[in-house]
Amino acid sequence: LNMMTEDAGVKLILADEYGYELFEEEGYDMLKLNEESWLEITERPSTLPERQLFPENICYVTFTSGSTGRPKGSALSQVGLGNMVQWQTKNHPLESEGWCLQFATINFDVSFQEIFTCWAGGGSLVVATEGQRRDPAALLAELNRCKIVRMNSPVVVLQQLAQYCYENRVVPTHLKQVMTSGDALRVTREVQWMFDQFEGGELHNHYG
């Protein structure tokens, strides 16, 4: 965490109680997100500060896993990410006020696509739990309980969900769009069967 914070040139850390304890001895400028902080924040001006912003400004920095050595930070621009959101919103629009499953954790870059393409399309997010990510039965139950219409998922999760659905002859009843990535997509018998059950269901291969 210290390596990423230093490498990204972070100026201010917004932290809950746990995060504050992690960084409080490192000398960073920090804002503790507790009740006292919010009271202080409400006393500050509500007008935007004066500064020039450009499409080339950095939106965020994401880091590699570091499996081949020191993790490397990639700085993503507002314009690049904006183009992605605009493309998906135009080409894969949501149903009116649809519910989307946020499958990826917040520290994985796919989470940005899940969050902002959903919001830009007028949808609402449901955040998957760790247990639901690992258990196809629990995932299916959440998809149906929350009437999820769009889901991003790794290929392996799609395969596991399709296998469970095929074996139990059950389907996500509201699902219309599935974006999959992370590995080469194989449209197995189980995947084909599951999508045959959807009226107008779409499978989008975002790998590579």
Side-chain angles (χ1 to χ4, degrees):
L1 288 175
N2 276 316
M3 186 282 297
M4 290 191 291
T5 305
E6 292 172 3
D7 194 55
V10 170
K11 302 299 183 186
L12 174 67
I13 296 177
L14 309 179
D16 58 13
E17 295 282 347
Y18 176 69
Y20 194 87
E21 291 177 3
L22 285 177
F23 287 102
E24 63 180 338
E25 296 181 359
E26 304 300 329
Y28 294 109
D29 191 6
M30 300 180 65
L31 179 61
K32 193 174 185 179
L33 298 179
N34 56 17
E35 189 174 347
E36 294 176 9
S37 296
W38 288 116
L39 290 173
E40 180 186 344
I41 290 170
T42 59
E43 296 174 357
R44 293 175 179 257
S46 60
T47 54
L48 293 174
E50 289 186 13
R51 65 178 303 180
Q52 288 185 311
L53 297 175
F54 302 97
E56 292 76 21
N57 288 146
I58 300 305
C59 184
Y60 67 81
V61 178
T62 187
F63 284 82
T64 64
S65 63
S67 57
T68 58
R70 179 183 172 89
K72 296 175 285 296
S74 297
L76 284 85
S77 68
Q78 300 276 355
V79 68
L81 293 166
N83 284 344
M84 179 192 66
V85 171
Q86 187 179 44
W87 171 83
Q88 185 163 326
T89 303
K90 177 182 178 182
N91 290 280
H92 310 305
L94 273 175
E95 293 182 351
S96 178
E97 300 180 357
W99 290 87
C100 307
L101 186 74
Q102 184 189 334
F103 188 90
T105 60
I106 198 70
N107 62 339
F108 186 49
D109 61 351
V110 174
S111 66
F112 180 97
Q113 180 181 3
E114 290 176 309
I115 294 168
F116 288 96
T117 58
C118 176
W119 287 345
S124 301
L125 281 172
V126 174
V127 181
T129 66
E130 187 63 27
Q132 290 161 355
R133 293 187 186 103
R134 298 176 181 273
D135 181 355
L139 179 60
L140 177 65
E142 185 73 350
L143 291 172
N144 287 340
R145 184 181 73 84
C146 297
K147 300 181 179 179
I148 300 297
V149 298
R150 176 192 287 170
M151 177 179 76
N152 284 55
S153 79
V155 169
V156 65
V157 172
L158 173 63
Q159 301 285 5
Q160 290 170 350
L161 177 65
Q163 180 78 29
Y164 178 84
C165 289
Y166 180 80
E167 291 175 353
N168 294 277
R169 289 301 190 265
V170 290
V171 292
T173 52
H174 295 82
L175 197 60
K176 296 295 183 184
Q177 297 178 0
V178 177
M179 283 74 175
T180 186
S181 59
D183 204 348
L185 174 63
R186 287 193 311 114
V187 180
T188 62
R189 173 188 62 180
E190 293 80 9
V191 170
Q192 182 68 58
W193 180 87
M194 189 174 76
F195 276 89
D196 282 345
Q197 313 311 308
F198 301 154
E199 183 178 347
E202 302 173 358
L203 174 60
H204 300 279
N205 183 6
H206 287 189
Y207 177 67

